[in-house]
């Protein structure tokens, strides 16, 4: 009995340890870009850009100088993380002082009214504006900034405005928010620094003429470190390593050494290079590694190269390809017929009558399978539309359903590849799909 208790206790400990490992790795994948280690890495990668940004914000905080700038970079590069790291550095050096940071997002503050409400909330001035009626947006914003003054202009609290998804603010009515922020920055009414974060290179062209004239036209571009070795490979290791704070020190040390070995494994490197060739976005790498971490279990508590290969096959499978597995043979015949029509008409839309004609040619001349009447075929076609494998072209409203123009929502080569992976498909259908003749 004592031996059995010890065995159960050991198994319980192993399960608890595995749960702790998976929990920590999920935290790594979720918070990468917001952790101290990620911030330090960004500062080293973009040292010149970070110094420029730091000097810009520092002049606003210490000298009361108003500034504006755009930070332009592809998604997943680390724009927000770099700004946050610079602000944390200024806070730790006490340069930030009484400076306030207002964070807005074009995805959340979809109009100027919501933006102004959020600014008021983050500046904690709800009580000051509760009983006041303002004639314009500019008057309201001026009052908010005036409320931050304690005596003269020199003793005003500086405000750092961070506008994430900056290009979405350009679609606000009359661009009132941007106009007033840039106007305050240009006229030095109050010490503010406006930082816009965007992934659009043409964002300046979206600004109205009056807004553009008040913007400093200062742009900071972050060019992603796209080299596989060492940048991408180092990120891979950072995401999977257990931190020093992990409670099981001996296990963490062994785990990290195993991760270093994995980073040199030829199979793992082959999988990572393929992913890197498709996209260099760290978020895609994080999603991929999550598929690997989810394969850990009590029998296999260490990552292996086979897990990476399984994750690759899972991530490479498209949703529409999976949907083909549940279709009938008749529906698959219609998919192949539409594949041929897409090739023949070079991507131009077609209608059901054309699809039915292609199906009849196949079933009567080249197939030994059962042939179905038009009403049955149309019902199968309608089900493909409800699954969104086929999409109706919008300009065909009011037309009879049989003659409505549609498009197949799969690439022809994907259809052939998907059918080759399905089991139990008639040979006639596979040959028709692979042929270049309709």
């Amino acid at each position: 009995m004592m031996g059995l208790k010890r065995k159960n206790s050991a198994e319980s400990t192993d399960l608890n340890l595995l749960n702790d490992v998976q929990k920590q790795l999920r935290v790594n994948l979720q918070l990468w870009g917001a952790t101290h280690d990620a911030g330090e890495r960004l500062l080293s990668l973009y040292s010149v850009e970070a110094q420029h940004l730091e000097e810009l914000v520092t002049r606003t905080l210490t000298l009361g100088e108003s500034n504006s700038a755009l930070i332009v970079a592809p998604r997943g590069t680390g724009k927000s993380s770099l700004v946050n790291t610079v602000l944390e550095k200024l806070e730790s050096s006490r340069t930030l002082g009484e400076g306030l940071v207002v964070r807005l997002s074009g995805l959340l503050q979809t109009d100027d009214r919501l933006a102004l409400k959020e600014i008021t909330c983050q500046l904690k001035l709800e009580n000051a504006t509760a009983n006041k009626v303002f004639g314009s947006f500019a008057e309201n914003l001026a009052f908010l900034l005036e409320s931050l003054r304690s005596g003269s202009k020199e003793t005003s609290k500086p405000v750092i405005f961070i506008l994430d998804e900056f290009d979405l603010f350009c679609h606000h009515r009359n661009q009132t928010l941007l106009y007033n922020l840039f106007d305050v920055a240009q006229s030095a009414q109050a010490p503010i620094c406006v930082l816009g974060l965007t992934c659009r290179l043409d964002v300046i062209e979206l600004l109205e003429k009056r807004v553009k004239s008040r913007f400093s036209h200062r742009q900071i571009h972050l060019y992603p470190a796209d080299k596989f070795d060492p940048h991408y490979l180092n990120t891979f290791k950072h995401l999977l390593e257990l931190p020093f704070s992990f409670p099981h020190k001996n296990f963490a040390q062994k785990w990290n050494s195993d991760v270093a070995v994995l980073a040199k494994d030829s199979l793992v490197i082959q999988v990572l290079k393929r992913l890197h060739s498709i996209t260099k976005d760290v978020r895609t790498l994080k999603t991929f590694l999550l598929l690997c971490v989810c394969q850990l279990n009590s029998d296999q508590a260490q990552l292996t190269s086979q897990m990476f290969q399984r994750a690759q096959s899972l991530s490479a499978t498209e949703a529409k390809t999976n949907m083909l597995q549940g279709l009938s043979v008749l529906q698959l015949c219609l998919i192949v017929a539409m594949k041929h029509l897409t090739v023949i008409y070079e991507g131009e839309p077609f209608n059901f009558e054309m699809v039915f004609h292609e199906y009849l040619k196949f079933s009567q001349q080249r197939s030994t399978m059962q042939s179905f009447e038009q009403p049955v075929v149309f019902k199968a076609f309608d089900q493909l539309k409800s699954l969104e494998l086929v999409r109706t072209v919008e300009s065909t409203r009011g037309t009879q359903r049989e003659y409505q123009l549609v498009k197949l929502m799969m690439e022809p080569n994907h259809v052939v590849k998907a059918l080759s992976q399905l089991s139990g498909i008639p040979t006639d259908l596979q040959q028709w799909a692979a042929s270049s003749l309709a």
Side-chain angles (χ1 to χ4, degrees):
M1 288 295 291
M2 289 294 291
L4 182 61
K5 284 183 179 179
R6 286 196 193 98
K7 184 179 179 182
N8 290 338
S9 176
E11 289 178 354
S12 175
T13 303
D14 290 341
L15 288 174
N16 290 335
L17 176 58
L18 181 62
N19 288 335
D20 289 343
V21 171
Q22 288 189 316
K23 183 178 179 181
Q24 180 60 53
L25 292 177
R26 287 191 175 96
V27 169
N28 285 7
L29 296 172
Q30 181 182 359
L31 296 182
W32 175 252
T35 60
H36 178 72
D37 289 341
E40 291 297 321
R41 179 175 177 272
L42 283 171
L43 286 179
S44 64
L45 281 176
Y46 307 114
S47 55
V48 176
E49 294 83 355
Q51 185 178 358
H52 187 184
L53 183 61
E54 185 178 344
E55 289 173 356
L56 201 68
V57 177
T58 301
R59 287 204 298 269
T60 300
L61 295 170
T62 58
L63 304 176
E65 176 186 314
S66 294
N67 290 299
S68 58
L70 284 177
I71 302 171
V72 186
R75 295 194 183 280
T77 306
K79 299 183 293 294
S80 301
S81 299
L82 184 66
V83 172
N84 292 336
T85 304
V86 168
L87 290 177
E88 286 174 8
K89 186 178 177 182
L90 292 173
E91 187 175 9
S92 62
S93 65
R94 298 186 179 180
T95 306
L96 189 59
E98 294 187 352
L100 302 172
V101 179
V102 175
R103 301 175 188 273
L104 303 177
S105 172
L107 295 171
L108 299 176
Q109 285 75 49
T110 53
D111 58 46
D112 291 336
R113 181 184 59 83
L114 291 172
L116 194 58
K117 185 177 179 181
E118 184 64 22
I119 292 170
T120 306
C121 180
Q122 291 192 33
L123 293 179
K124 300 179 182 179
L125 293 173
E126 297 98 321
N127 293 334
T129 59
N131 300 318
K132 287 193 172 291
V133 178
F134 299 100
S136 66
F137 184 97
E139 186 181 337
N140 195 338
L141 181 62
F143 176 80
L144 292 177
L145 296 174
E146 186 73 28
S147 301
L148 299 175
R149 294 188 181 180
S150 53
S152 64
K153 171 190 166 184
E154 287 70 22
T155 56
S156 297
K157 289 185 178 180
V159 185
I160 313 298
F161 287 92
I162 301 174
L163 277 59
D164 204 1
E165 303 292 344
F166 179 84
D167 49 288
L168 297 182
F169 287 100
C170 298
H171 299 300
H172 288 194
R173 182 180 175 84
N174 298 328
Q175 298 184 358
T176 308
L177 172 68
L178 299 181
Y179 172 78
N180 284 281
L181 286 177
F182 289 150
D183 188 55
V184 171
Q186 188 188 53
S187 57
Q189 299 172 28
I192 72 169
C193 181
V194 184
L195 300 175
L197 281 61
T198 181
C199 60
R200 290 193 59 167
L201 291 170
D202 63 341
V203 68
I204 296 293
E205 302 306 316
L206 300 178
L207 297 176
E208 292 181 1
K209 187 176 180 180
R210 62 177 189 144
V211 180
K212 194 185 297 186
S213 65
R214 284 162 174 76
F215 174 52
S216 67
H217 291 267
R218 185 184 288 109
Q219 297 185 47
I220 301 174
H221 290 265
L222 304 182
Y223 297 100
D226 56 359
K227 289 184 178 179
F228 178 78
D229 190 6
H231 299 134
Y232 198 78
L233 212 52
N234 283 343
T235 302
F236 160 76
K237 288 190 286 188
H238 282 308
L239 288 170
L240 290 182
E241 285 177 347
L242 296 175
F244 293 113
S245 58
F246 192 71
H248 309 278
K249 304 295 183 185
N250 293 334
F251 182 85
Q253 188 175 356
K254 184 180 183 305
W255 175 276
N256 292 343
S257 63
D258 288 342
V259 168
V261 172
L262 272 177
K264 297 177 182 178
D265 188 287
S266 58
L267 289 175
V268 175
I269 288 177
Q270 183 181 353
V271 171
L272 292 177
K273 279 187 174 179
R274 184 180 182 278
L275 188 65
H276 180 262
S277 66
I278 296 171
T279 175
K280 299 166 181 61
D281 193 337
V282 176
R283 293 173 300 179
T284 305
L285 176 62
K286 287 162 63 174
T287 304
F288 174 78
L289 293 180
L290 188 61
L291 294 175
C292 300
V293 171
C294 290
Q295 297 180 53
L296 294 173
N297 54 53
S298 55
D299 296 327
Q300 183 54 264
Q302 293 288 346
L303 291 171
T304 63
S305 56
Q306 288 73 28
M307 291 181 180
F308 284 83
Q309 290 179 313
R310 281 195 291 270
Q312 183 184 35
S313 62
L314 286 171
S315 60
T317 306
E318 295 185 359
K320 286 187 173 62
T321 303
N322 288 335
M323 290 175 69
L324 296 187
Q325 295 179 357
L327 299 182
S328 65
V329 174
L330 172 59
Q331 289 171 326
L332 291 175
C333 286
L334 296 182
I335 291 284
V336 175
M338 288 185 282
K339 172 254 181 187
H340 286 301
L341 288 172
T342 302
V343 173
I344 293 170
Y345 295 104
E346 298 180 346
E348 291 297 314
F350 42 83
N351 59 35
F352 169 72
E353 288 295 330
M354 298 165 69
V355 176
F356 184 61
H357 178 69
E358 290 295 320
Y359 166 72
L360 282 182
K361 281 200 305 181
F362 166 69
S363 62
Q364 293 174 1
Q365 299 174 15
R366 303 171 58 182
S367 173
T368 58
M369 295 185 295
Q370 178 185 358
S371 181
F372 294 93
E373 297 296 324
Q374 185 171 356
V376 178
V377 178
F378 185 75
K379 185 174 182 180
F381 179 78
D382 217 26
Q383 290 171 340
L384 293 177
K385 288 170 66 177
S386 66
L387 291 171
E388 298 184 356
L389 289 167
V390 181
R391 180 175 65 85
T392 305
V393 178
E394 293 180 2
S395 59
T396 58
R397 291 177 182 174
T399 311
Q400 287 185 354
R401 294 173 65 194
E402 292 84 350
Y403 298 99
Q404 286 182 348
L405 294 178
V406 296
K407 277 190 173 185
L408 177 65
M409 302 309 291
M410 289 184 69
E411 293 293 329
N413 58 331
H414 288 172
V415 173
V416 178
K417 184 178 179 181
L419 286 177
S420 66
Q421 294 173 352
L422 297 179
S423 58
I425 301 298
T427 307
D428 296 348
L429 181 56
Q430 285 186 336
Q431 291 175 346
W432 184 36
S435 70
S436 57
L437 299 175

